[in-house]
Amino acid sequence: PKATKAFGHKMKGYLTTEAVLHAPESRTSSPVKIPRDDVSLEHIEIKGLYPCAEGAGYAGGIISAAIDGINCMDRIIEKYS
């Protein structure tokens, strides 16, 4: 939290009350898989949460992580469009 606030002071627009997406990056593939619906890609219990890419256990490299991120964004766009 302190680092996020400090960075928010340095980079205008980074830290706002309008943000609804937080996407931490892990350095390695996750040994666990966060559950998500096969069709919507949304977490099976937490609505509005879309576990994706390496940290969530759905990718094993930068290309597969990018593709999974695109697939999740496509589902989010479909849901809210």
Side-chain angles (χ1 to χ4, degrees):
K2 289 182 182 180
T4 304
K5 288 180 182 179
F7 193 74
H9 291 296
K10 293 180 180 181
M11 184 176 200
K12 185 176 177 154
Y14 177 80
L15 184 62
T16 71
T17 58
E18 298 173 6
V20 293
L21 178 66
H22 181 74
E25 169 141 0
S26 65
R27 297 179 62 89
T28 60
S29 296
S30 177
V32 297
K33 192 178 267 192
I34 298 172
R36 71 181 185 189
D37 181 79
D38 291 336
V39 176
S40 71
L41 304 184
E42 192 172 23
H43 190 280
I44 59 174
E45 294 178 359
I46 305 170
K47 298 303 170 196
L49 179 64
Y50 291 82
C52 67
E54 288 181 90
Y58 291 94
I62 194 163
I63 300 299
S64 60
I67 292 168
D68 195 53
I70 290 168
N71 290 336
C72 283
M73 282 307 304
D74 286 344
R75 295 307 183 286
I76 292 168
I77 291 167
E78 286 173 9
K79 181 176 180 176
Y80 294 103
S81 293

